[in-house]
Every structure is written in C-alpha cells, then in structure tokens.
Amino acid sequence: MRQNFAVIIPMANEEKDFQPFVNTLAGVLNQLECGQVYFIVDKASKDRTLQLCQHTSSIDARFVTVWAPETRNVVDAYICGYQVAAKAEHDFIIEMDAGLSHDPNAISRFLSLLLKDYDCVFGSRFIAGGAIVDSNWKRTFLSRVGTLLSNLLLGTKMHDMTSGFQGFSLEIVRKFLSYNLLSEAHFYQTELRYLLRKTRFVEIPIQYRAPSPRVSGKAILNSIYVLLYYVTKRVAFRAPSIK
C-alpha cells in the first residue's frame, strides 16, 4: 500500500518517550513503504524534544521537523502541521498524539478506509475494540461527558467527539484550513468533528494510553464558549458545516 500520506504530530516535552515512539513510527513506515511524518515543535517544549526531532530528521528524511515558535497553543500546532502537509500535497493527512498515547500501528487502518473514499476517518475509544488505558479517571469522565453533551446539544451522532487520532483527504483538509476555528485547546477535535458531520466519515476503534490528568480552567472555559456558540447557531437554524 504505497500511498502519498503524511502524519502530523505536535511535539512538546516528549524527551522521555521520544525514541520508543519514533522507533515504532519508523517500523510502520517501513511496513507501508511510504509516508512522511511532520514533527511540529514550538516554545511550549522545554526539554530536548526539538534537538531530538532535528537529529531524527537529519538521519531519516521521512521525518521532517517544523519549528513553529509563533504558535500560541496546541490547536495552532495542529493547524501548522496541516498547512505544511497540505502545501506538500499529500493525498491523505493523519493527525495523532506523541508519546505512544496513540498507537502508530493503527495508521494502516486509517489509510485503508481513506482509500475507500471516506473523507474522514475518526478514531474512537468508545466503540467495540476501543479503550482508554492507564488513564486518570477525570480525563476519561470528561471525554465521555463531552461526547454525550456534544451529541445532545449539537445533534451529532458520533461515539467519540473528543479523540485526537483522525485522518482526512487532502480536499477536506484544504476546506477546514479556510475555516476560522474558535477552539484553543481540548475542544478542537469536537469542533472539527461537528463541522465535518455531513462528510462521508467512519469511526474506527483505537486505544488511548496515559493522557494527562490535568485540564486547565482556561481550556474548559474555551470549550464552554465554543460549545455555546455552535448551540446558538443551531437553535437559530444557522448551523455551519464543512462538506
């Protein structure tokens, strides 16, 4: 399955798990015999992550380090990654987290479905075969409640509205890059899935390991603001969508 695809990964303070993660990613790329990985690093990273990324890029051209000091939050980092990958005209672009929170071995499943003409493939922890492991119960609770509230208030019908493992066709990426997203933190994935609800999408089971137990008050406030914005639009029969 030799396809022109990219994986974008924000990298911040990943020194501890960097090598096991990169080794697993390299193994997946070897099996697929294709693929490009973009590491997006910004000033939020305080350890040697940037240097490790740059070293990896210097010895393996499949890994590209993007230094993005202008990004203000993780959403900016994701968008930066999508912009770089879209400019390089990769047919499919997959977003995932670092540190083995997401299993790189699932990449082939995302690709196989994108090749079947799905616009979007969303990873789900809450369908058969999916799970959250080694997790703080508060984050698990927030993820489940966030999905329930989003489906109830926004009219979506997805099993997982908050997962950050997802893949898109280049056409869809170009469309949402032209949309002004409101999210600045954790609600980003929910906002994107809501906006893409009318596309041809499918959910696949993933396992998510060891998410951070901490969610900032600022991130929660931003999530509430964005959710209420779209609820208001929906009530006024002006609900936006990207398709």
Side-chain angles (χ1 to χ4, degrees), residues 148-163:
L148 289 171
L149 280 177
S150 297
N151 284 331
L152 176 65
L153 297 176
L154 299 176
T156 46
K157 297 179 181 179
M158 296 186 197
H159 294 88
D160 192 341
M161 288 288 286
T162 63
S163 168

Side-chain angles (χ1 to χ4, degrees), residues 54-100:
Q54 291 172 331
H55 174 70
T56 300
S57 297
S58 71
I59 61 176
D60 191 335
R62 297 174 300 178
F63 295 89
V64 177
T65 300
V66 179
W67 170 236
E70 72 282 0
T71 60
R72 300 163 299 169
N73 50 56
V74 69
V75 179
D76 284 353
Y78 279 124
I79 295 302
C80 175
Y82 280 118
Q83 289 171 334
V84 171
K87 185 176 181 180
E89 297 189 334
H90 294 284
D91 295 328
F92 309 113
I93 304 172
I94 297 169
E95 163 195 322
M96 66 182 298
D97 290 349
L100 294 174

Side-chain angles (χ1 to χ4, degrees), residues 20-35:
F21 177 57
V22 169
N23 290 344
T24 304
L25 265 175
V28 170
L29 298 183
N30 290 340
Q31 290 175 359
L32 294 172
E33 298 183 334
C34 57

Side-chain angles (χ1 to χ4, degrees), residues 4-16:
N4 178 22
F5 78 94
V7 182
I8 62 168
I9 312 169
M11 301 285 287
N13 304 313
E14 304 293 346
E15 182 176 354
K16 178 181 177 182

Side-chain angles (χ1 to χ4, degrees), residues 207-221:
Q207 294 201 353
Y208 190 35
R209 182 177 300 276
S212 168
R214 182 177 179 273
V215 179
S216 71
K218 183 178 179 180
I220 293 174
L221 288 175

